[in-house]
Amino acid sequence: MATTAIHAGEIHDPSGAHIAPIFQTSTFTFEDMDAVQAWTSGETEGYVYTRPGNPSRTALARKIAALEGIGMGDDREQVKAEIFGSGMAAISAALMGLAKAGNHIVTQRVLYGSADGLISNVLTGYGITNSRIPGLEPEALERELETHPNTTVVYMETPANPTMRIIDIERTAEIARAHGAALVVDNTFATPVLQRPLEHGADVVVHSTTKYINGHGTVVGGAVVAHDPEWMADRIKPLVGGIGGVPSPFDCWLTNIGLKTLPLRMARHSESGMAVARFLDQHSAVVATHYPGLPDDPGHEVATRQMDGYGAMIAFDLGSYDAATRLLDRVQLAKLGVSLGNVDTLIQHPASLTHRMVSPEERAASGITDGLVRLSVGLEGVEDIIADLDQALAR
Ligand SMILES: *Cc1c(COP(=O)(O)O)cnc(C)c1O
């Protein structure tokens, strides 16, 4: 994993440049008309224009595909990725590549806020309906798929944002497949280092590369990964060109550099995540700590089976809106902000920030209580992160 993250997809420029150059160009020129003819007849491959393709983007796509494909044996070479200008551009492409007017999408109840908005408000306008099963529980999911035989997508996040709920990928993939639907997994929280959904039977993986994959908070981006190269070529590639939600070459280059240290970062993130979760779990001011690494967490057993570590996202409940918001005013090292997966610790209150658009009733039904705080444990000294939370909780 560490070697793949550093070497896969790298461009070796003829100049001998050690680090790949940034192909910051909108277009690519041909030597002459013979070269144009060779390209149009498919004799040669090449870049023509940066919306359909750019070498800086290809390099990043190859690295992500290689990481998601680890463990897939001979199928590994089949895994392909396309890079988008945001996680949401990637998610919309994946869903548009799988569902058409008249089709149905089944999802878990709690989803990343904008993914929820896309499925419940945008796609419905194009004739794509949806329904929710709280945690995609197997029996309820089977019933839902029987009720909606036009379902082409089962869409899930595990661990889920922001509740840290865990869903069994393999079990869900089996049920989806038996009913002719594809399983799409948002793997943003875990990253391919901790979880590779394609190995567990998922058809498509989506990422917000904005988070751990870039890891340094400098870029917004996304990726679609699948192990059906024909589907990628026939359904996703046309959306890259046709919708055009592509990132700049510079953003791809920055993300690619960040991705090289992902295995190293995730190991440290997981170690610190565990230490902070243990600290919160025993603190008298904390009503509940949701972290799959804790042995009594309801997702612990499934997470242990399908993940190679528990990561650094933690949700914890302080019992009331006031207690949660007071904590956010008192932390000093942890920064109050909505993103996650960066080298520095970020903390936020879903009920007033990321999930403010979700109605209080829906929030309650999804487990997003008023006292819930979401913490993205960074790579600072873990004793400093714990000391910061300790002083804020004491006050
Ligand atoms: C941030 C995030 C997204 C959306 O990604 P953007 O890059 O912000 O568009 C989707 N899913 C999850 C789980 C996220 O955390």
Side-chain angles (χ1 to χ4, degrees):
M1 187 61 84
T3 308
T4 300
I6 291 169
H7 292 288
E10 285 298 307
I11 295 168
H12 299 289
D13 189 70
S15 69
H18 166 218
I19 297 300
I22 310 167
F23 289 81
Q24 195 69 33
T25 179
S26 56
T27 198
F28 299 81
T29 56
F30 293 92
E31 202 56 52
D32 52 27
M33 278 312 290
D34 284 346
V36 171
Q37 238 128 44
W39 175 73
T40 47
S41 67
E43 223 174 282
T44 57
E45 278 182 38
Y47 296 96
V48 174
Y49 186 57
T50 282
R51 174 162 41 76
N54 179 286
S56 300
R57 208 160 87 216
T58 306
L60 176 60
R62 289 200 176 131
K63 203 185 282 298
I64 293 178
L67 290 169
E68 284 289 357
I70 281 180
M72 294 199 65
D74 294 345
D75 273 356
R76 186 175 164 175
E77 295 297 313
Q78 300 274 92
V79 177
K80 297 280 180 270
E82 285 289 347
I83 305 301
F84 291 84
S86 70
M88 285 315 306
I91 294 169
S92 20
L95 294 177
M96 290 169 74
L98 288 165
K100 296 183 187 150
N103 291 154
H104 189 77
I105 301 175
V106 177
T107 74
Q108 79 210 63
R109 170 149 287 145
V110 55
L111 287 177
Y112 178 74
S114 301
D116 195 330
L118 170 72
I119 293 167
S120 42
N121 304 324
V122 179
L123 293 180
T124 45
Y126 296 87
I128 301 165
T129 54
N130 68 88
S131 53
R132 309 292 171 99
I133 308 284
L136 295 177
E137 289 79 2
E139 279 166 31
L141 178 59
E142 298 240 21
R143 269 199 307 279
E144 197 64 19
L145 294 174
E146 274 153 26
T147 316
H148 300 280
N150 55 336
T151 304
T152 53
V153 185
V154 175
Y155 182 86
M156 65 183 260
E157 289 171 15
T158 185
N161 185 0
T163 57
M164 296 303 293
R165 183 168 194 155
I166 302 292
I167 296 173
D168 188 329
I169 299 170
E170 202 164 311
R171 187 77 213 266
T172 312
E174 276 166 20
I175 300 170
R177 177 157 313 135
H179 291 82
L183 178 66
V184 180
V185 179
D186 181 334
N187 202 26
T188 300
F189 272 32
T191 82
V193 173
L194 301 184
Q195 174 174 277
R196 289 166 303 282
L198 301 179
E199 273 179 44
H200 300 286
D203 298 283
V204 178
V205 169
V206 290
H207 277 288
S208 169
T209 57
T210 312
K211 315 294 168 53
Y212 288 103
I213 286 184
N214 171 272
H216 296 73
T218 51
V219 166
V220 171
V224 174
V225 194
H227 62 94
D228 179 353
E230 269 172 48
W231 179 76
M232 289 298 287
D234 297 348
R235 303 303 303 270
I236 295 303
K237 194 75 191 166
L239 291 168
V240 171
I243 306 279
V246 298
S248 76
F250 181 52
D251 282 2
C252 295
W253 183 85
L254 277 175
T255 306
N256 194 50
I257 285 184
L259 179 51
K260 291 185 190 188
T261 56
L262 185 70
L264 195 60
R265 285 187 283 114
M266 292 318 285
R268 176 65 175 271
H269 273 304
S270 293
E271 208 177 288
S272 298
M274 190 60 133
V276 173
R278 284 210 184 103
F279 162 77
L280 291 168
D281 196 38
Q282 56 74 45
H283 199 286
S284 60
V286 178
V287 178
T289 305
H290 308 287
Y291 181 72
L294 294 172
D296 54 358
D297 188 90
H300 182 67
E301 191 235 330
V302 173
T304 303
R305 207 172 343 113
Q306 70 190 15
M307 299 178 79
D308 293 336
Y310 305 105
M313 294 304 299
I314 302 172
F316 59 102
D317 202 325
L318 292 179
S320 72
Y321 192 96
D322 278 353
T325 52
R326 269 203 310 272
L327 177 86
L328 297 184
D329 279 334
R330 288 170 187 180
V331 286
Q332 288 165 357
L333 180 67
K335 297 298 172 223
L336 173 53
V338 295
S339 198
L340 59 101
N342 289 332
V343 292
D344 41 355
T345 298
L346 288 169
I347 193 163
Q348 67 110 359
H349 182 231
S352 46
L353 279 163
T354 50
H355 291 70
R356 66 185 186 285
M357 302 83 77
V358 182
S359 71
E361 299 74 36
E362 273 286 309
R363 277 205 302 268
S366 327
I368 308 172
T369 53
D370 284 348
L372 198 74
V373 172
R374 189 190 75 186
L375 179 66
S376 168
V377 178
L379 300 178
E380 302 94 337
V382 70
E383 63 287 355
D384 294 325
I385 299 169
I386 291 175
D388 184 34
L389 292 167
D390 198 26
Q391 64 80 24
L393 287 166
R395 290 165 62 202

